[in-house]
Amino acid sequence: MPNQRKAWLYALATVLLWSTVASAFKLSLQFFTPSQLLLVASVTSVLLLGGLLAGQRKLGLALTTLRRRPLFFISLGLLNPALYYLLLFEAYRLLPAQQAQAINYTWAIALSLLAVPFLKQRLNRFDGVAIALAYLGALIIATRGAPFSLNFDSGYGVLLALASTLIWASYWILNTRNTTEPLLSLFLTFSCSLPFTLLACGVLADFELRAWQGWLGAIYVGLFEMGIAFLLWLLALRHARQAAHISNLIFLSPFISLLLLRWLVHEPIAPATPLGLLLIVAALLVQQWPGWRKKESSDTH
């Protein structure tokens, strides 16, 4: 049964957890390489999700589901978490966290662009405005308020952050063919990614994971970014009368995250960053506008 109070509580808890992950990424990357961080976080997430499935007595169902579509879940796992987080963590290593985080928020815009060739969807005028606003905001943040200079802290880092949004969007496009329940699907996806993350760690780094601070950060990322936050969000959607009532809370996350970056990471916030984030959030709101208009129209008839 819908319970709007519970929906708000679960949604706010999710937003607060998501707001911490940029700081967790940046702090953890002081002790682990991107591939090491990904490996420990992924294993943590698999153990958490596997434990939840075991509690529901669904581990046998996981094996049955995997046997039916092994290539599908291997493909999902290669995209996310393997490729997505490798690119994103490397972007966080090279860039100030406020820049990597802001660019990452443009993934919904990347999704609308990739939906044109892969899902045969069309862009409308709202999408065009959203694309312009989002990438202008990202450019303002990445150039510290001088978008026409094209002077980046790390051009390679910016490219990796943008590439990660394309990988994330591709993951969700592939997920349109996924009818497996979310918890089961996430467990299979992360489990299938482990061989890739092990290989990446062996090739790009090593397995000398000695810093306890790195372990602490990686376990936190695995538990909250890749596990608990996702489950809390599912609970919020399940209890909400309408998903739209809680989905806009997500837009609080980047601004709370900036405060945490300043407090926990001691990263000075560039004056251009809040302006750029406002443009990105405005872009995401503009992108949702046709859906709101349609919902309002249906409510009046």
Side-chain angles (χ1 to χ4, degrees):
M1 292 292 291
N3 185 325
Q4 196 61 34
R5 185 171 178 273
K6 283 187 176 181
W8 284 111
L9 289 174
Y10 286 131
L12 284 170
T14 307
V15 167
L16 289 174
L17 287 178
W18 279 335
S19 301
T20 67
V21 295
S23 296
F25 292 166
K26 200 65 178 177
L27 291 170
S28 302
L29 288 167
Q30 296 176 18
F31 304 98
F32 279 0
T33 68
S35 57
Q36 289 172 333
L37 175 57
L38 173 59
L39 178 60
V40 176
S42 296
V43 170
T44 301
S45 184
V46 168
L47 291 174
L48 170 67
L49 298 169
L52 292 171
L53 284 175
Q56 298 176 9
R57 299 183 179 180
K58 290 184 178 179
L59 280 179
L61 179 60
L63 289 173
T64 304
T65 305
L66 181 60
R67 287 195 193 102
R68 285 199 207 106
R69 306 180 73 187
L71 290 178
F72 177 73
F73 287 105
I74 289 170
S75 300
L76 285 178
L78 178 59
L79 289 173
N80 173 53
L83 280 175
Y84 171 66
Y85 280 106
L86 273 179
L87 296 179
L88 185 63
F89 289 162
E90 184 65 15
Y92 267 90
R93 189 184 70 82
L94 295 171
L95 294 170
Q98 61 195 282
Q99 293 184 14
Q101 173 201 241
I103 295 170
N104 186 243
Y105 270 93
T106 66
W107 74 266
I109 306 300
L111 179 60
S112 66
L113 290 172
L114 290 182
V116 175
F118 293 112
L119 299 180
K120 308 303 179 187
Q121 295 180 4
R122 293 183 179 181
L123 296 176
N124 57 41
R125 65 182 183 277
F126 295 99
D127 292 318
V129 172
I131 290 166
L133 285 175
Y135 288 122
L136 175 60
L139 187 61
I140 287 172
I141 292 170
T143 58
R144 296 180 181 268
F148 299 109
S149 71
L150 296 181
N151 186 19
F152 305 108
D153 286 86
S154 169
Y156 183 53
V158 171
L159 285 176
L160 288 176
L162 287 171
S164 75
T165 67
L166 295 175
I167 296 295
W168 186 246
S170 300
Y171 168 78
W172 284 109
I173 286 174
L174 188 57
N175 248 313
T176 59
R177 303 175 184 175
N178 191 3
T179 57
T180 308
E181 69 170 89
L183 177 60
L184 184 59
S185 177
L186 200 64
F187 171 72
L188 290 174
T189 298
F190 274 70
S191 297
C192 289
S193 78
L194 287 181
F196 300 115
T197 56
L198 279 166
L199 179 63
C201 193
V203 172
L204 301 175
D206 54 51
F207 298 102
E208 295 184 11
L209 309 171
R210 295 175 181 172
W212 66 265
Q213 300 96 326
W215 277 96
L216 188 64
I219 290 171
Y220 182 91
V221 170
L223 287 176
F224 295 105
E225 157 73 356
M226 299 178 177
I228 292 173
F230 177 83
L231 297 174
L232 285 174
W233 188 249
L234 286 179
L235 287 171
L237 292 174
R238 184 175 299 170
H239 285 289
R241 294 189 184 92
Q242 291 181 12
H245 289 166
I246 61 169
S247 61
N248 290 333
L249 288 174
I250 293 171
F251 299 129
L252 294 173
S253 181
F255 299 101
I256 299 172
S257 184
L258 284 183
L259 297 175
L260 292 176
L261 284 171
R262 183 71 185 89
W263 180 44
L264 297 173
V265 185
H266 307 296
E267 182 175 295
I269 305 303
T273 298
L275 172 61
L277 271 178
L278 283 172
L279 287 174
I280 292 171
V281 168
L284 298 175
L285 291 170
V286 166
Q287 193 180 43
Q288 291 185 20
W289 181 247
W292 292 346
R293 292 283 299 272
K294 202 175 293 183
K295 176 67 174 61
E296 289 172 4
S297 175
S298 66
D299 285 346
T300 58
H301 290 83

